[in-house]
C-alpha cells in the first residue's frame, strides 16, 4: 500500500509544495534540486534542497536512519536506504521510493546491507538483500525474485543500456565457471548468456549494448578480463593485462580505459586505453604516474575527469575535442552534473561548487550544516 511521505513534523506541506513547484516548472527547476544525507544529531536522514531558495526539507521518516539517495534517470523518483538503528530489526525497512510528482512513497521488503540500481527507463529498480536479487516494478510496487544465492549475496548485476534486460551472475557454487543470465523485462524470461570465471562477477555493459566486460574487481585484478560479444555469443579475453583494474567504457563504446600498477610501487599507476576494434592497448601520454587516475566521463562524452589521489587530491578535466585541460586541487568529492558540462566539486573545508568544464568558472552551492558532501545527488 502506497503511503504518504512521513517527514519531520510540520514539513509535509512545504515538501509537497516544493514537489508540485518542481513538477510545474519542469527543466528550469530541475537544475536546482539536490538530495543528500544529513546528520542533525539524530539518525541520518535524506534531505531535498531547492537551490534557488535554499529551503531544505526532510524526505525520510525520522524514526529510521535514511541515507544513500539516488534519483531515477528521469528525475521523477528519489530512492534511498532506510533502516532501523536496532541491528536485530534491520529487516523492518528496505528501500524507500518517493514520487516527486505526488509526494507519495512506498518501501520495499527488508534488506541487510543491500544495494539498488535504477533501470534506464525509470520504471524498474533492481535491489538485493542478504541472499536474493529482486526486480521491482515501480508502478505496481511489486517485486519478483530473480535469483536466490544461498551462500552469498548476488555477486554481480548490471542493466542493459536500453533498460530492456538486467544481467546477473548466479554465484554461490564452487564450479570453475558460473552462469550469467539476462532477465527480459517484456517477456519475463531468463536468458542464459554465457558462463564466466567464478571470480569475474563484476560486469559492465558497453553503452551501445553490444558487449559486456567481466572482471573480478580486485585491486589489482588477479584474473584476465572476459569480454562477451552479445550479438555473436562469443566470450574472449581482451588484450589487457591481468593486473588491470578500474575498467571504464568510453561513451561511444569504442574503447576501455584502465590502469595498472607501475612496477612495484603500489601508489603509482599507468593509464591505458584499449581499442575494441584493434584489440590493442596503449598507455596514455602526459598523465602523471602517482596516484589513481580513474576516469570519469561526462554524459555527453566530451570531457573526461581524472581524480589524482596521491595526497594532492587533484582533479584534471580534459576536453577530448580540443585537448584543453583545467586543474582543481584539494578536491575531496567530485561528480558530473547531468548536463555533462558541469561538475560538483567539494574541497577540504566541506565547501561545494558547481564548476564549468568549459572555463573552470565556479558557482558556490551552499549546503546546510550536517550535510554529507559525498552523498550529493542532482535531480536529472
Amino acid at each position: 500500500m502506497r503511503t504518504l511521505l512521513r517527514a519531520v513534523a510540520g514539513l509535509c506541506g512545504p515538501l509537497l509544495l516544493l514537489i508540485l513547484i518542481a513538477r510545474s516548472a519542469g527543466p528550469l527547476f530541475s537544475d536546482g534540486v539536490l538530495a543528500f544525507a544529513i546528520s542533525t544529531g539524530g539518525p541520518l536522514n535524506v534531505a531535498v534542497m531547492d537551490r534557488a531558495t535554499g529551503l531544505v526539507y526532510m524526505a525520510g521518516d525520522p524514526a529510521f536512519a535514511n541515507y544513500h539517495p539516488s534519483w531515477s534517470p528521469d528525475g521523477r523518483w528519489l530512492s534511498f536506504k532506510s533502516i532501523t538503528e536496532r541491528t536485530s530489526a534491520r529487516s523492518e525497512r528496505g528501500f524507500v521510493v518517493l514520487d516527486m510528482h505526488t509526494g507519495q512513497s512506498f518501501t520495499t521488503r527488508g534488506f541487510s546491507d543491500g544495494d539498488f540500481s535504477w533501470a534506464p527507463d525509470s520504471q524498474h529498480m533492481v535491489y538485493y538483500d542478504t541472499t536474493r536479487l529482486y526486480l521491482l516494478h515501480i508502478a505496481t510496487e511489486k517485486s519478483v525474485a530473480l535469483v536466490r544465492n544461498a551462500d552469498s549475496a548476488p555477486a554481480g548485476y548490471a542493466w542493459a543500456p536500453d533498460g530492456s534486460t538486467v544481467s546477473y551472475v548466479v554465484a554461490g557454487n564452487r564450479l570453475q565457471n558460473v552462469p550469467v543470465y539476462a532477465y527480459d523485462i517484456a517477456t519475463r524470461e531468463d536468458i542464459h548468456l554465457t558462463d564466466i570465471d567464478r571470480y569475474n562477477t563484476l560486469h559492465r555493459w558497453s553503452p551501445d549494448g553490444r558487449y559486456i566486460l567481466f572482471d573480478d574487481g580486485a585491486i589489482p585484478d588477479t584474473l584476465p578480463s572476459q569480454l562477451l560479444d552479445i550479438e555473436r555469443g562469443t566470450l574472449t579475453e581482451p588484450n589487457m593485462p591481468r593486473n588491470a583494474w578500474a575498467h571504464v567504457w568510453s561513451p561511444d563504446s569504442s574503447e576501455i580505459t584502465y590502469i595498472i600498477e607501475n612496477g612495484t610501487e603500489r601508489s603509482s599507476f599507468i593509464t591505458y586505453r584499449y581499442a575494441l576494434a584493434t584489440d590493442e592497448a596503449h598507455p596514455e601520454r602526459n598523465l602523471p604516474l602517482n596516484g589513481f587516475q580513474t576516469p570519469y566521463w561526462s554524459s555527453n562524452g566530451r570531457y573526461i575527469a581524472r581524480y589524482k589521489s596521491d595526497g594532492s587530491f587533484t582533479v584534471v578535466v580534459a576536453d577530448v575535442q580540443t585537448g584543453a585541460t583545467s586543474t582543481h586541487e584539494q578536491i575531496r568529492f567530485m561528480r558530473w552534473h547531468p548536463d555533462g558540462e558541469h561538475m560538483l566539486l567539494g574541497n577540504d573545508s566541506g565547501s561545494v561548487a558547481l564548476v564549468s568544464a568549459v572555463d573552470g568558472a565556479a558557482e558556490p552551492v551552499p549546503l546546510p550544516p550536517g550535510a554529507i558532501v559525498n552523498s550529493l545527488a542532482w535531480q536529472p
Side-chain angles (χ1 to χ4, degrees), residues 2 19 23 30 70-79 97-104 118 121-123 138-139 379-380:
R2 188 180 294 250
I19 292 168
R23 184 181 183 185
S30 66
S70 177
W71 295 96
S72 62
D74 64 2
R76 172 169 179 172
W77 309 91
L78 177 66
S79 188
V97 181
L98 167 64
D99 187 339
M100 294 297 288
H101 284 193
T102 66
Q104 294 179 321
W118 279 100
D121 65 2
S122 298
Q123 301 301 310
I138 302 299
Q379 186 182 44

Side-chain angles (χ1 to χ4, degrees), residues 27-39:
L28 293 178
F29 190 86
S30 66
D31 285 340
V33 180
L34 279 170
F36 48 86
I38 188 169
S39 176

Side-chain angles (χ1 to χ4, degrees), residues 45 51 70 75 100 122 200 231 247 285 291 376:
N45 207 338
R51 271 194 68 209
S70 177
M100 294 297 288
S122 298
N200 275 345
E231 290 185 2
H247 304 82
R285 299 178 180 178
L376 287 177

Side-chain angles (χ1 to χ4, degrees), residues 157-173:
Y157 64 91
W159 281 103
D162 62 2
S164 63
T165 59
V166 58
S167 57
Y168 60 90
V169 178
V170 180
N173 56 48

Side-chain angles (χ1 to χ4, degrees), residues 15 20 29 31 61 105 119 130 135 163 166 192 196 228 240 267 350:
L15 176 57
L20 294 177
F29 190 86
D31 285 340
D61 188 329
S105 69
T130 307
L135 174 70
V166 58
H192 179 236
I196 60 171
L228 173 65
M240 292 186 283
S267 62

Side-chain angles (χ1 to χ4, degrees), residues 5-16 40 45-46 56-63:
L5 171 70
R6 251 200 327 162
V8 174
L11 293 184
C12 285
L15 176 57
L16 185 56
T40 56
N45 207 338
V46 168
V56 178
Y57 305 99
M58 299 301 174
D61 188 329

Side-chain angles (χ1 to χ4, degrees), residues 210-344:
R210 176 169 178 176
Y211 300 93
I212 304 179
L213 178 69
F214 299 91
D215 66 81
D216 68 2
I219 305 174
D221 204 332
T222 56
L223 292 170
S225 301
Q226 295 173 289
L227 185 67
L228 173 65
D229 185 327
I230 298 175
E231 290 185 2
R232 297 179 178 178
T234 57
L235 185 69
T236 59
E237 294 182 7
N239 187 22
M240 292 186 283
R242 291 192 175 207
N243 59 342
W245 62 287
H247 304 82
V248 179
W249 284 96
S250 62
D252 63 2
S253 302
S254 66
E255 63 181 28
I256 300 169
T257 303
Y258 62 90
I259 60 180
I260 63 173
E261 287 182 350
N262 180 26
T264 59
E265 301 180 34
R266 293 191 62 83
S267 62
S268 181
F269 295 85
I270 301 175
T271 305
Y272 279 78
R273 302 181 84 153
Y274 167 80
L276 196 66
T278 61
D279 192 31
E280 296 178 345
H282 301 281
E284 283 193 304
R285 299 178 180 178
N286 304 320
L287 277 178
L289 297 181
N290 293 334
F292 303 154
Q293 296 291 335
T294 305
Y296 297 87
W297 286 92
S298 61
S299 59
N300 56 15
R302 177 166 180 175
Y303 306 97
I304 183 169
R306 296 187 180 277
Y307 188 57
K308 183 182 177 185
S309 54
D310 62 345
S312 67
F313 297 99
T314 301
V315 172
V316 179
V317 184
D319 186 327
V320 298
Q321 295 182 8
T322 66
T325 62
S326 60
T327 302
H328 311 272
E329 297 182 348
Q330 296 302 319
I331 300 300
R332 297 290 181 173
F333 163 83
M334 69 153 291
R335 184 165 297 166
W336 278 104
H337 188 279
D339 66 6
E341 296 289 333
H342 297 82
M343 295 179 297
L344 275 174

